[in-house]
Amino acid sequence: MTDYAIDPPKPVALPIEGQAAKFPVRRVYCIGRNYAAHAVEMGHDPDKEPPFFFQKNPDNLDPSGDFPYPTQSSDVHHEVEMAVALKSGGTDIAVEDALDHVYGYAVSIDMTRRDLQGEQKKMGRPWEIGKAFERSAPIGPIYSAESTGHPSEGRVELKVNGEVRQEGDLNQMIWKVPEMISYLSKFFELAPGDVILSGTPAGVGPVKKGDEIVAHVEGLADLNVRVT
């Protein structure tokens, strides 16, 4: 038995719909501005930008249904996304082979401390302080691709207190799921347990304590989150 200087951290694992087994998380990659309308609302031209990615931490993924409003921010935004969970990986994965590496899909929300992110952008610094904070990625159960297929179209929506804030369709992604996987694998060695958040449609906006959020991706169960 291996000895450790301190107790090792508890592995991060997500529920799988219909199974007692859980999905272990290795890394979390997030693609930025992957819906044209969202890119425009953030002040960018989607026709001139290659894909880019940032990372959250595995333990930022939170299936509890509660989102504690974070400290040091007064402008936290919701971003509904479809999460892609990988069962295998590698490097230089061909686009036509990429979906063979997908275990399944889930509904997620990339919560963002927009004010802190904005400050970092102005200074040309990384975004982690605005993106990779505790419990910043509420997520629903993973649905296996065997049960859902590989969604390439379908409504994506987020409501706050019953009001539709974000709406779009998976077919509006600039970089589709196979392309994301292939592109990422050129720069990172992907592996089982990696999760990719695939981007958000237009309509991102602030949340406040007490808000009730419903995130929806067609074909998956809704994710209900309360801001506490």
Side-chain angles (χ1 to χ4, degrees), residues 37-49:
H38 174 58
V40 171
E41 77 176 348
M42 298 302 291
H44 299 271
D45 184 348
D47 294 327
K48 294 184 179 180
E49 294 185 338

Side-chain angles (χ1 to χ4, degrees), residues 199-217:
T200 194
V204 301
V207 299
K208 63 182 186 300
K209 291 181 180 180
D211 281 347
E212 299 284 348
I213 301 172
V214 180
H216 171 82
V217 174

Side-chain angles (χ1 to χ4, degrees), residues 131-196:
K131 288 285 192 180
F133 57 94
E134 278 62 39
R135 300 174 70 175
S136 59
I139 189 167
I142 295 173
Y143 282 73
S144 70
E146 292 179 355
S147 65
T148 64
H150 295 287
S152 59
E153 59 182 8
R155 184 170 176 81
V156 181
E157 179 187 87
L158 183 138
K159 294 180 180 178
V160 178
N161 302 325
E163 174 191 356
V164 176
R165 292 272 193 89
Q166 291 185 260
E167 53 185 333
D169 195 287
L170 293 174
N171 64 19
Q172 296 169 344
M173 287 184 186
I174 299 169
W175 294 84
K176 312 304 184 186
V177 171
E179 295 169 325
M180 278 185 253
I181 294 170
S182 177
Y183 186 89
L184 264 175
S185 74
K186 298 180 188 302
F187 300 94
F188 300 92
E189 183 175 357
L190 300 180
D194 287 348
V195 175
I196 303 170

Side-chain angles (χ1 to χ4, degrees), residues 2-226:
T2 302
D3 291 327
Y4 296 97
I6 60 173
D7 291 336
K10 184 179 179 181
V12 177
L14 301 176
I16 300 172
E17 183 64 24
Q19 295 189 34
K22 292 190 174 183
F23 183 87
V25 180
R26 174 179 175 263
R27 293 180 183 172
V28 182
Y29 300 96
C30 309
I31 188 170
R33 298 191 287 265
N34 197 33
Y35 287 71
H38 174 58
V40 171
E41 77 176 348
M42 298 302 291
H44 299 271
D45 184 348
D47 294 327
K48 294 184 179 180
E49 294 185 338
F52 74 94
F53 293 84
F54 57 92
Q55 291 191 35
K56 285 182 180 278
N57 302 308
D59 62 358
N60 294 157
L61 297 175
D62 182 12
S64 72
D66 286 330
F67 172 68
Y69 199 97
T71 60
Q72 308 301 320
S73 178
S74 58
D75 189 24
V76 178
H77 283 204
H78 55 74
E79 299 186 9
V80 60
E81 315 208 4
M82 183 176 73
V84 183
L86 301 187
K87 63 182 179 182
S88 56
T91 57
D92 295 317
I93 296 170
V95 171
E96 56 268 25
D97 298 328
L99 291 180
D100 294 339
H101 298 277
V102 175
Y103 176 83
Y105 302 89
V107 183
S108 63
I109 306 174
D110 172 18
M111 292 293 195
T112 303
R113 295 194 282 205
R114 190 72 74 201
D115 46 358
L116 302 188
Q117 182 196 32
E119 292 172 4
Q120 300 307 303
K121 285 182 176 181
K122 289 177 183 177
M123 294 185 285
R125 294 179 177 177
W127 295 0
E128 276 78 5
I129 197 169
K131 288 285 192 180
F133 57 94
E134 278 62 39
R135 300 174 70 175
S136 59
I139 189 167
I142 295 173
Y143 282 73
S144 70
E146 292 179 355
S147 65
T148 64
H150 295 287
S152 59
E153 59 182 8
R155 184 170 176 81
V156 181
E157 179 187 87
L158 183 138
K159 294 180 180 178
V160 178
N161 302 325
E163 174 191 356
V164 176
R165 292 272 193 89
Q166 291 185 260
E167 53 185 333
D169 195 287
L170 293 174
N171 64 19
Q172 296 169 344
M173 287 184 186
I174 299 169
W175 294 84
K176 312 304 184 186
V177 171
E179 295 169 325
M180 278 185 253
I181 294 170
S182 177
Y183 186 89
L184 264 175
S185 74
K186 298 180 188 302
F187 300 94
F188 300 92
E189 183 175 357
L190 300 180
D194 287 348
V195 175
I196 303 170
L197 303 190
S198 60
T200 194
V204 301
V207 299
K208 63 182 186 300
K209 291 181 180 180
D211 281 347
E212 299 284 348
I213 301 172
V214 180
H216 171 82
V217 174
E218 190 172 324
L220 306 175
D222 288 350
L223 170 62
N224 296 277
V225 177
R226 186 171 190 269

